[in-house]
Amino acid sequence: MHIYEWKNKYDVGVDAIDVEHKNLLTCINKLITAQTLDKSMILKLADEVSLYAKFHFLSEENLMCLTHYPDITKHSQCHVLLLNHLAVKRRYLEETTNGLQDYVNFLVKWFIDHTQTIDKELGLYLKNYKPIPNSPEHVIQQLSMKKN
């Protein structure tokens, strides 16, 4: 397995989301480099991926909620499906000696597909969202869209 480098095509144009996506990719890469470690460490790294994904999804869904995103239900369902798949694959990883490749392949494919489709749609919506000035939504938008 090889390390996955961040590519500009993964950007969704919303700094808060892009930073979290980069962190998620870092978690995935830690798991990839763990193939020579003992199973207990691999499982801890798999748990880190799942927990970070849960955090990221909550963060994304809060942005969707605050900005009245019309496809929040569909997008949130995708998050639930991924977390369910990760739980199943984590159990398989625990029970076998060769499940890491399957786990990582699934996760990377999902990451690339999700960021390039459904998250791009969200990014476009958030970039075009016009909240009432000085509203909580406006403050959140200013914080999440800021580029360093």
Side-chain angles (χ1 to χ4, degrees), residues 56-136:
H56 167 63
F57 295 159
L58 179 62
S59 179
E60 241 181 37
E61 289 166 17
N62 284 339
L63 280 174
M64 288 186 258
C65 210
L66 286 166
T67 59
H68 316 285
Y69 185 58
D71 289 331
I72 189 171
T73 301
K74 178 181 112 179
H75 199 127
S76 297
Q77 287 171 342
C78 290
H79 292 165
V80 169
L81 285 173
L82 172 74
L83 293 173
N84 290 341
H85 276 98
L86 284 181
V88 168
K89 295 212 173 278
R90 200 260 188 215
R91 285 190 295 276
Y92 178 72
L93 188 59
E94 192 171 3
E95 296 167 359
T96 66
T97 57
N98 59 353
L100 184 58
Q101 180 80 44
D102 180 58
Y103 187 95
V104 169
N105 288 345
F106 167 77
L107 191 55
V108 169
K109 181 181 180 338
W110 181 89
F111 176 83
I112 292 169
D113 291 347
H114 189 79
T115 57
Q116 304 241 328
T117 57
I118 195 166
D119 278 349
K120 290 268 191 204
E121 293 170 16
L122 174 60
L124 184 61
Y125 175 84
L126 292 173
K127 286 193 288 188
N128 293 317
Y129 179 73
K130 302 292 185 226
I132 298 168
N134 300 318
S135 67

